[in-house]
Amino acid sequence: MKAMGLTDLRLVQPERFPAPEAQWMATNAVDVLEAARVHATLQEAIADCVAAFALSARSREWSPQVLDVRSAAARAVEMDAPVAFVFGNETAGLTNDEVFACQYLVHIPANPDFSSLNLAQAVQVVAYELRMALDPAMPFARVEKRATVEDLEGLYVHFERAAAESEFMAPNSRLRERWRRLFSRVPAF
């Protein structure tokens, strides 16, 4: 959760909490674990949320609106208010009552012959999709000044000079026009 910028962890009737193995598994996110709130019921845990998204690999005959995880993350971000993503336990997942306590049923598209993910994997996929819905620009992406017309003209002059000095380009070559055509096709992001 913390790696994707999420910190509000709510637990409903955990078997053991705090559990010693959770401390060492949390590595540098012990603060998230220590700030986790324990609730007696799912309804109590999601009471202050404007929407709850239930995660399940199983389809239900009757269910809330069904979304794929990417659409669910986008919808959650659009709400711009507290939302919950609800996960079941490793062995049984969510009960029908727990799914119906939520407004959306979310599936993570996976191999239909083996669609079940473990809890940690499912949480990470959801956390990643939420992060991408909030900020699709990678945090390490380089943000650079766009080239001006003057910059491009300088590039063409440099290419021409280097090509002439290296005797790569013949004096009456159409290489100049080809460079311009090539660089005019590069999308400006």
Side-chain angles (χ1 to χ4, degrees), residues 1 6 29 33 82-83 108 127 136 174 186:
M1 287 178 57
L6 303 174
L33 192 60
V83 298
I108 296 172
R174 299 203 46 124
V186 176

Side-chain angles (χ1 to χ4, degrees), residues 105-124:
L105 177 61
V106 180
H107 295 291
I108 296 172
N111 177 354
D113 296 329
F114 190 76
S115 60
S116 184
L117 298 170
N118 72 33
L119 180 58
Q121 293 168 332
V123 170
Q124 188 62 44

